[in-house]
Amino acid sequence: MRLSYSESERALAEELRTFLAGALPQLPPRPHPGDWDARRRYDTTWQRMLFEAGYAGISWPRAYGGREASPTEQLVFLEEMNRANAPYVGVNFVGTLHAGPTIMAEGTEEQRRRFLPPILRGDVVWCQGFSEPGSGSDLASLRTRAVRDGDEYVVNGQKVWSTYAHIADVGELLVRTDPDAAKHRGISWLVVPMDSPGITIRPIRTIAGPSEFCEVFYDDVRIPLGNRVGAENDGWRVAMVTLGFERGTAFVGEIMEAVKLVRALVEVAARVTRRSATAWDDVGLRRDVGRLAADFDALWSLTAWNVSEASRDGVPGPGGSVLKLRLCEAFQELATLGMRVLGRAGLSQEDVDGLGSAHLVEEYLRGIALTIGGGTSQIQRNIVAERVLGLPKEPAWTSS
Ligand SMILES: Cc1cc2nc3c(=O)[nH]c(=O)nc-3n(C[C@H](O)[C@H](O)[C@H](O)COP(=O)(O)OP(=O)(O)OC[C@H]3O[C@@H](n4cnc5c(N)ncnc54)[C@H](O)[C@@H]3O)c2cc1C
């Protein structure tokens, strides 16, 4: 891909700036993180506004409501959204960034027409039901069982850490359809309506405060066979496509958050005074922040590579693990610098002395989870070692 913009790409940037200048003031104030109904309303309203303006699903085919933009145009879109401090996908994360793209790559034409347009219109919120209490990194050991009964599956089991399940309409669900096959072979990928009888959802409170994810129990939940994406027992391969999108391109939003955090940290550091100087006068701090800001710049270029690769091959490659690994670790380093700047003010989740400290504390707490969600850093290192660098596979005993 080219890294400088053509005339038409610059025109798109201009068009986006005009749209954002008109649209953003129409949004209500951002809701409190714990007010889930308001958060859902806010994020789906923004999604609908993007859809009506023709910017939802920027890279998706027009047949499903998208704009069929080139990789460079996608980056122009993301840059302008970032520049205007526009909301990112929020609770539409799973639908827009990995369930939708998986259905596009692996679903039937009927499934694409049924599931994709409502995502772009902001009509439905998705969640992900992959992890189980005994199956996180070793996801292929999952035990939630689906048994065929006529033209339906009957599902029994438990999922955990299902982000946004309590406000979701549908979920991407991994189930075991052949308990006798080797563990990677007997899995299927289903779409589950979250209001199906037999589903119990219990939100889990996190260290940061709001209950962002849930444990979900499935008791004799009936799911039509027509909701299976990919062939029966081929769900592991489909799940790898989902995780490729989740790690490769879906983390773009976190780079934008990281860049915003750099700005916020610099502003707070200029306000924090120590004796006769401010925290920002500390050369060591400025060097550390500068180094991380350069990292985020480099990660943005890596994102350009991933977006380009995904649009050429249909799905992102294992290089997405490189992005996820460094981005999440760099984010944590930055958030830790924020706590160093705050000193004792970092002990409160409320704003202290009008410093703007609450945001830094919130990002520090949120950042702790980043190196776990979407696959831990250790697992990303394994993937990079085996699939990018071609090193020998890890011994079988660790994954059996
Ligand atoms: C913010 C957040 C959101 C999430 N959202 C969802 C969601 O929406 N849906 C969903 O299904 N799941 C979700 N998850 C769950 C996430 O995918 C799992 O937490 C993750 O895969 C790790 O699994 P685990 O928690 O069971 O840890 P474990 O797999 O038990 O790992 C424990 C430790 O052992 C290490 N380890 C394990 N195996 C190996 C190995 N082979 N080599 C080296 N080290 C290893 C791990 O790196 C980790 O440090 C979310 C998690 C977080 C934090």
Side-chain angles (χ1 to χ4, degrees), residues 94 127-133 135-138 160-163 212-213 369 372-379 382 394 398:
V94 174
C127 65
Q128 182 188 65
F130 282 14
S131 306
E132 298 183 3
S135 307
S137 302
D138 187 12
V160 71
W161 318 125
S162 306
T163 308
E212 177 172 314
F213 38 41
I372 304 172
T376 66
S377 284
Q378 289 79 7
I379 294 302
N382 286 349
E394 67 172 320
T398 51

Side-chain angles (χ1 to χ4, degrees), residues 55-278:
Y55 299 121
I58 190 92
S59 63
W60 293 22
R62 285 186 195 277
Y64 314 123
R67 195 185 167 95
E68 266 175 47
S70 69
T72 319
E73 287 169 339
Q74 291 171 50
L75 292 169
V76 169
F77 171 78
L78 291 167
E79 279 175 8
E80 291 307 322
M81 296 281 284
N82 191 21
R83 201 189 313 269
N85 202 12
Y88 196 46
V89 286
V91 304
N92 302 303
F93 176 82
V94 174
T96 54
L97 300 184
H98 53 88
T102 303
I103 291 171
M104 204 133 44
E106 297 292 333
T108 61
E109 189 51 30
E110 184 278 324
Q111 288 171 334
R112 293 183 189 138
R113 291 191 182 275
R114 180 156 51 116
F115 293 124
L116 298 180
I119 295 175
L120 292 193
R121 286 196 303 263
D123 289 345
V124 290
V125 169
W126 281 65
C127 65
Q128 182 188 65
F130 282 14
S131 306
E132 298 183 3
S135 307
S137 302
D138 187 12
L139 184 59
S141 68
L142 64 91
R143 292 193 303 181
T144 294
R145 187 82 172 88
V147 178
R148 266 187 192 236
D149 183 23
D151 54 5
E152 292 174 322
Y153 287 112
V154 180
V155 175
N156 281 284
Q158 184 196 343
K159 296 290 173 177
V160 71
W161 318 125
S162 306
T163 308
Y164 307 140
H166 55 319
I167 50 160
D169 306 290
V170 272
E172 46 178 18
L173 184 68
L174 285 186
V175 291
R176 186 156 299 284
T177 33
D178 182 354
D180 300 322
K183 67 179 182 180
H184 294 89
R185 298 254 155 76
I187 292 172
S188 299
W189 199 107
L190 306 180
V191 179
V192 55
M194 294 306 287
D195 60 356
S196 306
I199 295 184
T200 308
I201 301 172
R202 291 197 200 137
I204 301 170
R205 197 174 155 82
T206 71
I207 191 174
S211 306
E212 177 172 314
F213 38 41
C214 308
E215 47 183 355
V216 183
F217 299 85
Y218 295 82
D219 295 302
D220 289 331
V221 175
R222 304 188 80 86
I223 302 176
L225 295 188
N227 280 19
R228 191 190 63 235
V229 174
E232 188 169 82
N233 299 326
D234 193 28
W236 182 253
R237 193 188 55 76
V238 182
M240 291 308 101
V241 170
T242 310
L243 293 180
F245 282 113
E246 189 175 353
R247 291 164 186 164
T249 44
F251 267 84
V252 170
E254 290 301 343
I255 304 187
M256 292 172 18
E257 291 305 321
V259 172
K260 282 183 202 161
L261 186 58
V262 170
R263 285 189 213 125
L265 192 152
V266 172
E267 279 168 25
V268 173
R271 271 185 232 129
V272 171
T273 45
R274 303 221 166 89
R275 296 195 185 90
S276 59
T278 69

